[in-house]
Every structure is written in structure tokens, then in C-alpha cells.
Amino acid sequence: KLLVSSFSERIVAPTAVNYDYDALMAEFQDLVGQLMSKGTTNGPKITAIVERYLGKGKKVGDTTPEQAEFVSLIVADIKSDLM
């Protein structure tokens, strides 16, 4: 016996998000500048967030436009955790 569902499933392709790499880099630099002017104790916190996404010893300045999503996540974490 074949059971047929009474509804049709709709498959939706994920929407590709376009990240503005240059804008994200500028925002990152601005946020880091603000935090570092408040105190150097923020340095290790920023480093920890960056390393969470890029790996130990990696720097945001070494990223490429293809890694814009990671920069976006780093910026979001800095805003939520440190600002």
C-alpha cells in the first residue's frame, strides 16, 4: 500500500548572502580601535574571537574577500561580547 502525503513539500534553495568585505574590514578596524582605546585588556579578548573563526595565530588582516563570512562572524561576536 502506497501512502501519499496530503501536502507537497517545497524545497527552497538557501539564499547566498553577499558580504561587503571592504565594509566589514572597515567596521572591524573601527571596533578594534574603539576597544583598544578603552584599554589594552581588550586585546586578548579580540584575539580569542578572531582565533575562534580563523585559527590560532591568524589575523583578520590576512583574510581574503572569500573569507568575508568569517569576518562578519568576528564583527558580530565583537559587538555582542565586547561592546
Side-chain angles (χ1 to χ4, degrees):
K1 196 173 191 179
L2 183 63
L3 296 175
V4 178
S5 96
S6 59
F7 64 94
S8 62
E9 287 187 43
R10 187 171 157 203
I11 308 286
V12 179
T15 306
V17 177
N18 290 322
Y19 297 96
D20 184 339
Y21 178 75
D22 293 330
L24 287 167
M25 291 298 287
E27 186 174 10
F28 173 79
Q29 292 300 331
D30 182 53
L31 291 171
V32 169
Q34 289 178 46
L35 288 166
M36 293 307 288
S37 70
K38 292 178 183 176
T40 56
T41 57
N42 287 314
K45 297 173 188 173
I46 295 166
T47 300
I49 291 171
V50 170
E51 289 182 346
R52 182 182 316 152
Y53 293 101
L54 300 181
K56 189 158 182 62
K58 302 292 183 188
K59 300 192 180 339
V60 172
D62 297 334
T63 60
T64 64
E66 289 75 29
Q67 294 171 299
E69 183 175 4
F70 290 116
V71 179
S72 174
L73 294 168
I74 291 166
V75 166
D77 278 10
I78 288 174
K79 285 180 175 176
S80 68
D81 296 356
L82 303 179
M83 297 306 278

